[in-house]
Amino acid sequence: METSQHWRLRKQRYALVGEVCPHCESKIFPPRDICPDCGEDAREMYQFSGRGEVYSHTTVYQAPSGHAENVPYPVAIVRLEEGPLVTAQLTDVGDQPIEIGTPVEMVTRKLGADGERGMLVYGYKFRPALVER
Amino acid sequence: MAENKLLVPDREAGIIGYGAYIPRYRLPVKEVARVWADGKGGLPIHEKAVTGLDEDVITMSIEAARNALARSGIDPTEIGAVWVGSESHPYAVKPTSTVVAEAIGATPHVLAADWEFACKAGTEAIQASIGFVGSGMADYALAIGMDTAQGRPGDALEYTAGAGGAAFIIGPAKDAVCVFEGSYSYATDTPDFWRRANAIYPEHGERFTGEPAYFSHTQTAAESLLEALGATASDFRFAVFHQPNTKFPMRVAKSLGFGQDQIEAGLLVPEIGNTYAGSAMIGLTSILDIADPGDRILMVSYGSGAGSDAFSLRATEALPRRRGSAPATLIYVKRRTEIDYATYARLRGKLVLK
């Protein structure tokens, strides 16, 4: 990915900043400027809480290029408490079992590096919730 | 003793919010002894915290800063400076602080910079924050001390070099969970530990790291501060010192007149290792998790090369109300997954993959 793309995506990647629809209140992630629920214009920024639960999950053993050093690693679809589904890596799982419905929270982690000399790329992952809620 | 230069700003400053971070992996240091010393020799600590594959000073700083923000109750756009002290910034050139500032929502109208001074880079940022807030140039400044420390495999440092640290939002005393009564800085050119540009692992002066370096600087900074404030060890309920191992902070505490009951709460090194720029600061977060209003706390950092910053703090009535807004430091200490030396070598990038 180009440096310019990493730069453009930094807000949503670092902190799960999406949009809220001013017409139907839908929370939107990733931001797309058009509400997927009512089709109206939606450009107002919205800071997601980062809390959610595992909707589905799997473990990657054959990683795409750039991620081979991290195998095996878990990936999940997370249902954010505000509604949207987000696909992301799980991290810091340790020996905790991951199941559908496991409470998770967003953390900002290193997603990878653009080669040996390129920029470091940071973004959201999810980990089992640190404190019970 | 030379002229006493107690540091006190025009406007009284304090800590508005504090936050800690410790990665979840733990290497029992008997593993280092097993691989490199036939399992023989004394162990300076029990175990040390190790970063996951996707963690570095930037990611750890972001989480500690988010915890500090949660306790502060302020909006991140009110922060006037984001300052990160570390000796393991992920880039040689490109600031850690801009990524942290962006991630917590403090950009773009903000001063951001990285600080360096071996293990006291974080408390340098605190000193600067007190000045920044105390002069009225800003209402809030974020000071972070965070490290994922390096140690050559088999070297004495590998037994203790851990990972973690803390973030403090400094602001006006009226909003603070604890106020700074005064601080002191003491520095000389003492070559006890260094890492040259482009070197992967640091070098150290063996026994030279003790008497002329750690002990001389921490003791002088602490004594000078106490003298200027007209205080003695018995006036403080808690004290926390830089913790390169378990022995050094205990010895300097004793020689200053502090008892075990005063230093226990902040002494995290046996369970997480030496977190370098984060060491004294994360000990302070653990103290703030249990301190009562009115308690006085002494914090003394140490950075090789060499210098010490000493701070006298007093907890306020706001502390018990605000501490519950983020995870207690002990939650991070107790969240642990034990690893062996092989996994440690992998997590720390010591395996050549290409």
Side-chain angles (χ1 to χ4, degrees):
Chain A
M1 207 186 254
E2 295 295 322
T3 302
S4 55
Q5 281 175 286
H6 293 309
W7 177 72
R8 265 194 293 277
L9 294 173
R10 69 196 189 284
K11 283 265 183 243
Q12 55 173 284
R13 282 253 197 84
Y14 291 173
L16 223 54
V17 175
E19 289 166 335
V20 58
C21 175
H23 307 282
C24 74
E25 300 290 305
S26 263
K27 313 298 189 295
I28 305 160
F29 193 90
R32 66 200 76 173
D33 296 352
I34 300 287
C35 177
D37 288 331
C38 71
E40 298 287 335
D41 236 32
R43 294 164 191 271
E44 197 179 315
M45 289 214 310
Y46 180 81
Q47 172 66 62
F48 282 81
S49 69
R51 291 187 292 270
E53 60 178 49
V54 172
Y55 176 81
S56 185
H57 66 99
T58 187
T59 301
V60 174
Y61 293 92
Q62 300 293 328
S65 77
H67 295 277
E69 292 174 14
N70 298 324
V71 291
Y73 59 87
V75 173
I77 299 173
V78 171
R79 169 78 72 189
L80 299 176
E81 68 178 10
E82 295 89 347
L85 288 169
V86 176
T87 302
Q89 282 187 40
L90 299 179
T91 189
D92 283 2
V93 171
D95 43 18
Q96 288 169 255
I98 292 295
E99 292 163 355
I100 290 168
T102 298
V104 292
E105 60 197 12
M106 190 276 284
V107 288
T108 309
R109 293 294 171 88
K110 200 160 72 179
L111 298 182
D114 222 354
E116 285 288 297
R117 301 174 63 88
M119 67 177 285
L120 302 171
V121 181
Y122 298 90
Y124 55 81
K125 293 189 180 184
F126 289 81
R127 71 165 174 217
L130 198 63
V131 183
E132 280 183 35
R133 52 176 192 258
Chain B
M1 201 171 293
E3 190 187 348
N4 199 317
K5 296 183 201 160
L6 180 71
L7 303 173
V8 179
D10 288 344
R11 172 167 75 154
E12 201 181 12
I15 292 171
I16 308 296
Y18 66 96
Y21 183 74
I22 305 165
R24 91 171 283 159
Y25 302 99
R26 296 288 181 282
L27 179 71
V29 300
K30 64 174 194 285
E31 273 291 285
V32 182
R34 176 178 70 83
V35 172
W36 291 103
D38 252 352
K40 298 191 177 93
L43 301 176
I45 59 170
H46 171 228
E47 59 187 15
K48 63 177 193 171
V50 179
T51 45
L53 283 169
D54 57 1
E55 294 185 286
D56 59 21
V57 161
I58 287 177
T59 66
M60 296 194 293
S61 296
I62 290 170
E63 180 154 347
R66 284 179 177 147
N67 286 335
L69 259 177
R71 286 194 175 104
S72 75
I74 66 167
D75 189 280
T77 57
E78 295 181 77
I79 295 173
V82 174
W83 285 332
V84 185
S86 180
E87 61 180 74
S88 35
H89 291 291
Y91 285 96
V93 178
K94 185 182 183 304
T96 298
S97 52
T98 51
V99 188
V100 175
E102 193 79 52
I104 64 169
T107 49
H109 302 287
V110 65
L111 171 58
D114 293 1
W115 294 69
E116 287 194 11
F117 191 146
C119 296
K120 87 172 184 89
T123 57
E124 287 287 351
I126 294 179
Q127 290 285 39
S129 296
I130 295 171
F132 206 48
V133 170
S135 67
M137 281 178 71
D139 274 338
Y140 303 105
L142 172 61
I144 299 174
M146 192 65 67
D147 255 307
T148 169
Q150 310 92 24
R152 180 181 293 107
D155 185 85
L157 291 176
E158 196 182 35
Y159 285 82
T160 53
F168 294 100
I169 295 174
I170 315 296
K174 63 176 172 48
D175 303 325
V177 297
C178 64
V179 297
F180 291 102
E181 298 180 314
S183 58
Y184 201 90
S185 283
Y186 180 79
T188 70
D189 176 9
T190 303
D192 58 326
F193 168 99
W194 59 86
R195 180 162 63 83
R196 294 275 298 276
N198 303 320
I200 298 171
Y201 300 119
E203 305 294 323
H204 55 89
E206 304 286 345
R207 284 166 191 274
F208 198 61
T209 59
E211 212 52 64
Y214 180 89
F215 292 109
S216 155
H217 290 77
T218 51
Q219 181 128 2
T220 309
E223 282 174 351
S224 305
L225 177 66
L226 294 180
E227 183 193 81
L229 292 171
T232 62
S234 60
D235 295 324
F236 292 84
R237 181 166 170 218
F238 299 105
V240 58
F241 299 89
H242 174 58
Q243 301 162 26
N245 51 42
T246 316
K247 193 167 68 181
F248 276 26
M250 288 177 72
R251 195 178 126 192
V252 73
K254 193 175 173 191
S255 71
L256 287 164
F258 290 95
Q260 185 65 21
D261 57 321
Q262 288 164 293
I263 63 167
E264 204 146 27
L267 195 66
L268 300 181
V269 66
E271 307 306 324
I272 65 170
N274 178 5
T275 56
Y276 286 56
S279 180
M281 289 169 66
I282 195 168
L284 177 59
T285 67
S286 202
I287 289 169
L288 293 176
D289 281 340
I290 58 165
D292 293 318
D295 284 347
R296 292 177 80 183
I297 304 158
L298 176 73
M299 173 169 73
V300 186
S301 68
Y302 173 73
S304 289
S308 268
D309 299 318
F311 303 84
S312 176
L313 300 112
R314 192 182 64 252
T316 72
E317 298 292 332
L319 177 59
R321 282 201 303 279
R322 297 237 287 276
R323 66 166 62 113
S325 306
T329 303
L330 278 182
I331 287 179
Y332 286 106
V333 174
K334 288 176 181 157
R335 179 188 74 139
R336 65 183 283 286
T337 297
E338 192 171 316
I339 56 173
D340 60 9
Y341 196 90
T343 303
Y344 161 75
R346 180 183 175 185
L347 294 180
R348 295 298 290 139
K350 294 177 197 297
L351 303 180
V352 178
L353 297 178
K354 55 190 149 207

